[in-house]
Amino acid sequence: MSYVDEVFSMVVEKNPSQPEFHQAVKEVLESLRVVIEANEDAYRKDALLERIVTPERQILFRVPWVDDKGQVQVNNGFRVQFNSAIGPYKGGLRLHPSVNLGIIKFLGFEQIFKNSLTGLPIGGGKGGSDFDPKGKSDREVMAFCQSFMTELCKYIGADTDVPAGDIGTGAREIGYMFGQYKKIRNLYEGVLTGKGLTYGGSLARTEATGYGLLYLTEEMLKCNGSDIKGKTVSISGSGNVAIYAAQKAEQLGAKVVTVSDSTGWIYDPEGIDVELLKEVKEVKRARLTEYAAARKSAQYHEGKGVWTVKVDVALPCATQNELNLDDAKTLVANGVYAVCEGANMPTTLEATQYLQQNGVKFVPGKAANAGGVATSALEMSQNSERLSWTFEEVDSKLQTIMVNIFHNLDDAAKKYGMAGNYVAGANIAGFLKVAEAMTAQGIV
Ligand code: NDP
């Protein structure tokens, strides 16, 4: 059996009931095959692959908190410190009822390569809890966040592990967690990113993932002789990534015709009104039915359906495995030109393969959504220098980083004889840097 297949079988055997983690490892290992096979003896002797698929540390903990009725609630807390070869662990905290160890491990594993691709000195990690902030009062959210940080603070720090937001963890949650960290550790340091602007946050961090997705998409289209201007775009999700992806797409002259949430989706042929969407989602924290009620051109549909709309570019920005093989077939039948992932692993493996086989330009999340973590790293730099850069400075660094990421993965794909395969290019470019650093640092 080849080394790649051996390691994948080991991952499945040692990590039962973690399908998302298996999926993420399979995608990466498959595209590394050509690189590994060229140097198989050395990698095998150093157990490089076994080490890269095994987290350096996994922290699982109890999170007890008291709800508004005086009832004690208990959630599971997770932090997976996956790989620190090129810098302190860095990756978000997801608060969603679907969170379990397998989900956090898939996200942490992806984060290693994503962070490497940014060109910045950050290792890979991820964390979160099965706590659901939806429908909770501010006091309940604060009680949860304080309890969560009371335990997590023992394992993180500005030079050790710097968590950030993700699904369910926005500015409010980061604020409560930062306050608790400061109180317990008596340290005012950049231990979290995504902070508010009055206490160490970076301008443009809120916009970064969505804007970055569009900067990379724009560059990719340009290098393929096309242009984002004038394109019709479908977006799924209506959270942080989706909102700012829609905003930047419209600023660049594209028309965004869909958004969605976990209960339904909007088709707005006149183009999504981003200010109205922000009001509904960021201010009122309401359902998309409120968007439809306030806008004549918008049609609301229950359930799934975003990918049935005929568009040039599809940007999945909600959650993992939200674009499956049937969706891919519909997109291809409707002539989609490009799919770029704003969310982490939103496209199933079968759907990815189908899109690639049918000539659709496909950029995976670990490259296309790296703008968020890249700007988090810029926040870390500002915190350690005790400086604040302007919005324009951060935005322009973000743009440069995203353009460089695209060229790195494009070059890697070409170098290994897979021109246009951006999945392989991203995995190879991300892997090579981490593998070199791991090798240089010995068996640790
Ligand atoms: P938010 O919580 O702000 O928004 C998530 C959106 O996705 C919401 O519209 C939500 O709908 C929808 N959604 C969540 N779970 C499901 C589900 N199971 N089925 C259908 N829809 C769902 O999260 P973000 O925008 O921050 O993150 C979105 C994706 O982008 C995630 O994969 C995240 O890991 C990734 N990402 C985020 C970064 C960031 O900087 N924020 C950076 C890099 C990647 P509802 O409100 O109804 O739950």
Side-chain angles (χ1 to χ4, degrees):
M1 205 192 279
S2 81
Y3 182 37
V4 162
D5 294 326
E6 249 173 58
V7 173
F8 182 65
S9 302
M10 183 274 285
V11 166
V12 173
E13 195 186 319
K14 282 199 180 178
N15 303 272
S17 310
Q18 296 183 356
E20 293 85 1
F21 180 51
H22 303 167
Q23 181 183 342
V25 171
K26 190 171 175 59
E27 185 225 88
V28 170
L29 290 186
E30 277 305 329
S31 40
L32 292 181
R33 204 176 272 280
V34 36
V35 180
I36 302 297
E37 282 171 3
N39 203 6
E40 182 157 328
D41 291 347
Y43 283 139
R44 190 193 283 272
K45 183 158 183 287
D46 278 358
L48 199 283
L49 290 185
E50 288 88 334
R51 286 192 287 141
I52 213 165
V53 298
T54 306
E56 291 176 14
R57 192 173 297 106
Q58 306 182 54
I59 302 146
L60 313 183
F61 52 100
R62 180 173 73 196
V63 190
W65 56 279
V66 182
D67 72 15
D68 284 347
K69 296 190 188 107
Q71 174 65 47
V72 175
Q73 302 286 345
V74 180
N75 287 102
N76 295 320
F78 304 90
R79 185 72 185 166
V80 173
Q81 299 180 330
F82 223 117
N83 192 299
S84 61
I86 62 169
Y89 310 106
K90 181 96 199 84
L93 296 170
R94 177 172 293 190
L95 301 182
H96 193 272
S98 64
V99 164
N100 56 43
L101 184 59
I103 299 264
I104 298 298
K105 278 166 68 179
F106 116 63
L107 291 163
F109 183 70
E110 290 278 294
Q111 198 82 41
I112 304 171
F113 306 98
K114 179 190 307 193
N115 293 3
S116 169
L117 278 173
T118 64
L120 301 167
I122 40 180
K126 196 81 187 189
S129 171
D130 56 1
F131 172 78
D132 187 358
K134 251 186 243 149
K136 305 287 191 303
S137 68
D138 282 353
R139 195 210 61 80
E140 288 176 321
V141 170
M142 182 170 72
F144 167 82
C145 290
Q146 290 181 339
S147 178
F148 183 78
M149 186 50 85
T150 300
E151 184 60 23
L152 186 67
C153 77
K154 299 169 189 168
Y155 309 100
I156 61 176
D159 294 316
T160 315
D161 182 356
V162 184
D166 190 67
I167 290 180
T169 307
R172 174 182 60 172
E173 291 76 16
I174 291 287
Y176 292 146
M177 290 184 197
F178 183 74
Q180 185 73 350
Y181 179 87
K182 184 166 63 69
K183 176 169 173 155
I184 298 185
R185 298 290 301 273
N186 196 24
L187 270 177
Y188 201 110
E189 60 169 2
V191 66
L192 291 163
T193 56
K195 299 185 292 297
L197 294 178
T198 52
Y199 61 96
S202 174
L203 285 161
R205 173 60 188 91
T206 306
E207 294 83 355
T209 308
Y211 278 23
L213 170 65
L214 266 296
Y215 292 145
L216 186 141
T217 304
E218 185 186 30
E219 185 67 12
M220 187 269 288
L221 292 179
K222 209 164 75 188
C223 291
N224 282 287
S226 185
D227 192 348
I228 186 74
K229 194 163 174 213
K231 295 282 182 294
T232 310
V233 176
S234 58
I235 289 182
S236 63
S238 50
N240 173 262
V241 180
I243 288 173
Y244 293 96
Q247 187 172 68
K248 184 51 73 179
E250 291 184 1
Q251 285 172 7
L252 294 175
K255 188 201 263 188
V256 178
V257 292
T258 70
V259 285
S260 66
D261 64 16
S262 49
T263 51
W265 60 285
I266 293 283
Y267 174 55
D268 192 340
E270 296 203 346
I272 293 293
D273 179 338
V274 175
E275 286 314 307
L276 174 60
L277 182 65
K278 284 170 78 171
E279 173 70 17
V280 171
K281 284 292 171 184
E282 291 185 336
V283 182
K284 296 187 180 157
R285 293 178 189 263
R287 311 307 313 170
L288 284 172
T289 41
E290 289 218 14
Y291 176 97
R295 189 156 158 96
K296 241 196 223 147
S297 56
Q299 302 161 18
Y300 177 80
H301 303 268
E302 283 288 324
K304 271 191 70 166
V306 166
W307 312 125
T308 60
V309 176
K310 181 174 167 53
V311 290
D312 305 308
V313 177
L315 304 175
C317 296
T319 193
Q320 64 271 5
N321 293 329
E322 52 157 318
L323 195 166
N324 61 26
L325 183 57
D326 287 341
D327 299 322
K329 286 182 178 168
T330 310
L331 283 168
V332 168
N334 282 335
V336 75
Y337 179 77
V339 175
C340 301
E341 295 184 324
N344 284 314
M345 210 169 73
T347 316
T348 64
L349 275 177
E350 300 73 39
T352 303
Q353 280 158 7
Y354 186 84
L355 292 168
Q356 289 181 314
Q357 282 157 7
N358 283 278
V360 177
K361 312 280 174 225
F362 179 88
V363 186
K366 64 170 72 69
N369 71 30
V373 74
T375 307
S376 279
L378 301 179
E379 184 174 330
M380 289 164 71
S381 301
Q382 294 170 77
N383 289 167
S384 53
E385 286 186 315
R386 305 255 194 274
L387 284 176
S388 296
W389 301 334
T390 63
F391 187 98
E392 288 71 25
E393 276 177 282
V394 179
D395 191 35
S396 125
K397 288 183 203 300
L398 168 66
Q399 201 162 356
T400 306
I401 289 169
M402 298 313 295
V403 167
N404 286 343
I405 289 177
F406 175 70
H407 287 286
N408 279 345
L409 63 89
D410 192 34
D411 291 348
K414 285 176 181 152
K415 183 171 169 196
Y416 284 91
M418 292 181 275
N421 184 341
Y422 303 136
V423 174
N427 288 330
I428 292 170
F431 168 79
L432 286 174
K433 182 175 163 193
V434 175
E436 194 182 320
M438 286 175 72
T439 304
Q441 291 169 28
I443 308 305
V444 291

